[in-house]
Structure formats: C-alpha cells, structure tokens
Amino acid sequence: MPWDDGPAAGFTEPGVRPWLPVTMPPGGSATAQEADPRSLLGLTRALLDLRRGHAALGPGAIEFLDGSDQVLAYIRPGPADAEDLLITLNLTDRTVHMDATPGGRGWEPVISTARAALPHDGSPVLAPGEGVVWRPAASRRSPATAASGSGRSR
C-alpha cells in the first residue's frame, strides 16, 4: 500500500525514481485511508485487533464444516474461558445464501470484508468474495458471556 499521494508514494526521496512502478490502489494511499475505518487500512487494523484480542484466533484447533464448494467455513474453538469463532469465506463472484446455523448453532457477525452479512429470508448472505468472522449469537451465550463478550459457548 502506498504511503502517501506523492510521485513516489512515499517509498523514495523526492526526485528519485522507484525501481518498480507505483500504482495507486482504488482506496488510495495509507495517508488517504488513515481516517476512514471502512477503508482497507481500517479493515486490516480491525482484523489485527481481533486477532490479538481473541483467544480462538491464537494457536489451536480448526474444525472445517461440511458445506458447498462455494463457501469455505470453519470454526476456531476458543479455550474454556473464550467463545468459539466461525469464519466463512465466499469463494465465488456471486452472492451466496448460507445455512442459518452452521455447525448447528446461531451466529452473529463480528467483522466482515464487505459492508455486512445481512440476513435474507432468515439465513445469512455472503457478498461475492466476502469473508466474515462470526461469534455465537447472544441467545446462545450465557448471560455473563453475552454481557462481557467472552466465554466459551458450546
């Protein structure tokens, strides 16, 4: 990601030609994306924060769910004191309707690479190429877990 909107995008001193061509991505430079939490830079920071703050995204098991060839879905089980997370990745260039209860449980979105996974006729919908991290639905967590946002739900 280019650092700024200058001629060399912040990679070299002014007047020095970079050895590789510099192309500005659709979202612009890091400087242009700094204040926008919905930018690629904002999404990257949010994903890193989620990774650092959630025990299920550390070392541990992965449970792949049976499904279609359109969606890669797996659960990252949290340790005993943390909730599990469901990760779904739409591998197509089409909208995909998912089972409302992957893994036999209800889920609510935590973060998405698109605007959001919105319910459609009672089941989640993934936009083309969208990835979503889900947590157990509040109704599936204990009252203490639902209030604090942590705690294993199995």
Side-chain angles (χ1 to χ4, degrees):
M1 176 180 296
W3 292 111
D4 61 38
D5 296 323
F11 292 116
T12 66
E13 297 293 323
V16 176
R17 184 173 178 221
W19 63 282
L20 289 174
V22 176
T23 341
M24 198 58 65
S29 67
T31 302
Q33 295 183 37
E34 186 70 37
D36 182 4
R38 295 178 51 142
S39 68
L40 179 59
L41 180 61
L43 173 64
T44 300
R45 287 178 173 161
L47 288 169
L48 289 170
D49 286 346
L50 181 65
R51 165 66 178 85
R52 286 184 202 108
H54 207 291
L57 297 176
I62 185 170
E63 300 170 8
F64 288 97
L65 301 177
D66 292 331
S68 70
D69 57 353
Q70 300 175 339
V71 176
L72 174 62
Y74 57 93
I75 294 175
R76 290 296 312 265
D81 62 343
E83 65 191 359
D84 299 345
L85 292 177
L86 167 69
I87 290 80
T88 56
L89 306 168
N90 181 352
L91 305 175
T92 74
D93 59 359
R94 298 177 311 279
T95 298
V96 174
H97 298 262
M98 290 179 22
D99 176 2
T101 59
R105 299 187 259 173
W107 301 91
E108 60 190 28
V110 174
I111 192 168
S112 169
T113 60
R115 290 186 179 257
L118 302 174
H120 183 278
D121 295 333
S123 65
V125 176
L126 295 177
E130 181 180 18
V132 182
V133 178
W134 308 78
R135 66 187 294 162
S139 63
R140 307 285 280 187
R141 291 181 267 149
S142 71
T145 301
S148 71
S150 64
R152 187 172 178 83
S153 62
R154 279 225 162 190

